[in-house]
Amino acid sequence: MKVKNKKNVAKAISGIAKTHKIKRNKIKRLTEKKGKKKKISKKALIEVGLKNEKKNPKAKVESTQSIVNDNLIKLTNISYKGAPESSTPSLYKEQKKVDGDKTPVSFIKKMKDKLKGARFRYLNEQFYSSSSQEALQYFKKEPSAFKAYHNGYMQQVIQWPVKPLSVIIKQINPILKKSNVNSPVVVADFGCGDAKLARTFPKVKVHSFDLVAVNQYVTAGDMAHTSLTNGSVDIAIFCLSLMGTNLQSFIKEANRVLKTGGLMKIAEIESRFDNINTFIDNLAKYGFEKTKLDQTIEMFVFMDFKKTQDISKTALKKKLPILELKPCIYKKR
């Protein structure tokens, strides 16, 4: 009822009260007879407006299957953060995010990363417990394994405070700048990975060797036996590549291909050495004289050597010491 003023409001309230009083009086007459309560008939209740004339429909009994289906529909229609707007209604659980990244990291991706890391650590341990020739044969049968190893290695490099190859590139940059057609500087990169050194200096002749050629810059093969001619190289580089049970074969090969007075640069993880001075002394017997030792950079050791003599003719006559370094075992992350 629409009321326009206070007078009408009072009138409306009076009318409502009067109506209810009439109904109460009717109920009282129906229920009181000779001081006894009388059962109110359904007809009487309908008459005073306290019961509807229409019968209430019987509740529909639903089957168990119907209830289950309805519940499933309600459940799958729940909207969760992270659900694609255009997708069929389904359950999405909000996922954790990587610091600094707004993209959700899925559980499947995490598990794949763990499997990749586990495979890398396994391959890494195999490298240190086998010869370069055995490793080469393995990767010929399983070429995808090298890719898995390389990807795992790159994931480790990301965690390092310093990139050893970047340090070496900075050190040899002044020398390579002097390289020209008349006086070329030739470099041999042993265990080059993806040949970053060659890609950094495209105008310089850089021979890149590794077990598998991941790109056009790399020559695949056993770096203990390269195709380079004797005394044809100015700089030989071993950046975290003195691996395997025959690492002395790599040093012999470096001695063979380097010019007398040529430079050999070694970068290794410091924890691999029991005694660095002993290692340096042993290299002297392979025809190399230490010119620089840098242990100031966290985790790593950088060493420079000059070739002082050719050992190719004396290697069979003189008993050379065995060169050994401890395996580098990467921790689970």
Side-chain angles (χ1 to χ4, degrees):
M1 180 185 292
K2 190 173 181 181
V3 182
K4 293 184 178 180
N5 51 52
K6 292 182 179 180
K7 187 176 180 180
N8 290 339
V9 170
K11 187 177 180 181
I13 292 172
S14 177
I16 293 169
K18 188 175 180 180
T19 302
H20 280 279
K21 185 176 180 181
I22 293 170
K23 287 185 177 182
R24 284 197 302 271
N25 290 336
K26 284 185 178 181
I27 294 170
K28 188 175 181 181
R29 288 196 300 272
L30 290 170
T31 55
E32 293 180 357
K33 186 176 181 181
K34 295 181 181 180
K36 295 183 179 180
K37 292 184 179 179
K38 182 181 178 182
K39 185 178 180 181
I40 305 172
S41 68
K42 181 179 177 182
K43 184 177 180 181
L45 291 173
I46 293 172
E47 186 178 336
V48 295
L50 296 178
K51 191 171 183 68
N52 293 327
E53 190 172 358
K54 294 181 180 179
K55 294 182 179 180
N56 290 330
K58 290 183 180 180
K60 186 179 179 181
V61 179
E62 297 185 40
S63 67
T64 304
Q65 185 62 43
S66 176
I67 294 171
V68 171
N69 289 340
D70 287 345
N71 288 337
L72 285 174
I73 291 171
K74 291 177 182 177
L75 188 63
T76 54
N77 278 328
I78 296 174
S79 176
Y80 285 86
K81 185 178 179 182
E85 293 181 359
S86 59
S87 65
T88 304
S90 58
L91 290 178
Y92 284 82
K93 185 177 180 181
E94 187 175 359
Q95 298 166 330
K96 294 183 179 179
K97 299 177 181 179
V98 176
D99 292 341
D101 183 10
K102 294 183 180 180
T103 306
V105 179
S106 70
F107 173 75
I108 293 175
K109 183 180 183 301
K110 286 183 180 179
M111 292 306 297
K112 284 183 177 180
D113 289 343
K114 284 187 177 181
L115 290 174
K116 287 178 183 178
R119 192 180 188 192
F120 163 72
R121 287 188 293 274
Y122 169 77
L123 291 171
N124 184 67
E125 290 177 14
Q126 299 310 305
F127 269 139
Y128 286 104
S129 60
S130 60
S131 68
S132 57
Q133 189 61 37
E134 290 170 336
L136 179 63
Q137 292 302 318
Y138 172 76
F139 285 124
K140 281 184 177 179
K141 293 180 181 179
E142 300 287 342
S144 63
F146 186 82
K147 184 178 180 181
Y149 173 81
H150 183 261
N151 290 340
Y153 171 76
M154 295 309 295
Q155 288 298 315
Q156 296 294 326
V157 171
I158 293 172
Q159 311 295 326
W160 294 345
V162 175
K163 312 299 185 290
L165 186 57
S166 298
V167 174
I168 290 176
I169 288 173
K170 185 177 180 180
Q171 290 174 347
I172 65 174
N173 185 51
I175 301 173
L176 299 187
K177 277 185 176 181
K178 297 177 183 179
S179 180
N180 54 60
V181 177
N182 297 324
S183 181
V185 177
V186 181
V187 181
D189 186 3
F190 293 91
C192 66
D194 60 359
K196 181 180 178 180
L197 187 64
R199 292 184 287 112
T200 304
F201 301 101
K203 294 182 179 180
V204 178
K205 184 61 179 178
V206 179
H207 299 282
S208 304
F209 301 104
D210 216 319
L211 294 168
V212 175
V214 297
N215 56 43
Q216 70 272 22
Y217 296 95
V218 183
T219 300
D222 182 359
M223 65 183 189
H225 306 284
T226 68
S227 58
L228 297 174
T229 58
N230 295 350
S232 60
V233 174
D234 296 286
I235 304 174
I237 295 174
F238 293 95
C239 184
L240 308 181
S241 56
L242 292 176
M243 304 170 67
T245 57
N246 65 322
L247 64 88
Q248 61 268 13
S249 298
F250 308 150
I251 300 300
K252 286 180 183 179
E253 183 68 359
N255 181 277
R256 182 185 74 80
V257 302
L258 272 171
K259 298 174 183 177
T260 300
L263 172 65
M264 179 173 71
K265 296 184 74 67
I266 295 176
E268 267 301 340
I269 295 174
E270 190 172 18
S271 61
R272 294 195 64 199
F273 295 90
D274 278 324
N275 190 308
I276 293 177
N277 291 326
T278 300
F279 181 79
I280 292 172
D281 291 342
N282 286 337
L283 279 183
K285 297 176 182 179
Y286 282 79
F288 291 102
E289 178 187 341
K290 182 200 76 175
T291 59
K292 184 179 179 181
L293 173 62
D294 185 358
Q295 294 178 266
T296 61
I297 299 176
E298 184 182 358
M299 286 178 57
F300 303 104
V301 177
F302 295 87
M303 294 175 279
D304 288 358
F305 296 88
K306 180 175 70 173
K307 177 183 173 180
T308 55
Q309 63 175 326
D310 186 353
I311 65 167
S312 60
K313 295 179 181 180
T314 61
L316 297 175
K317 297 177 181 179
K318 294 174 66 175
K319 187 177 180 181
L320 296 172
I322 295 176
L323 299 174
E324 291 181 327
L325 293 176
K326 291 186 289 186
C328 178
I329 306 300
Y330 293 95
K331 296 179 181 179
K332 293 181 180 180
R333 293 189 181 275

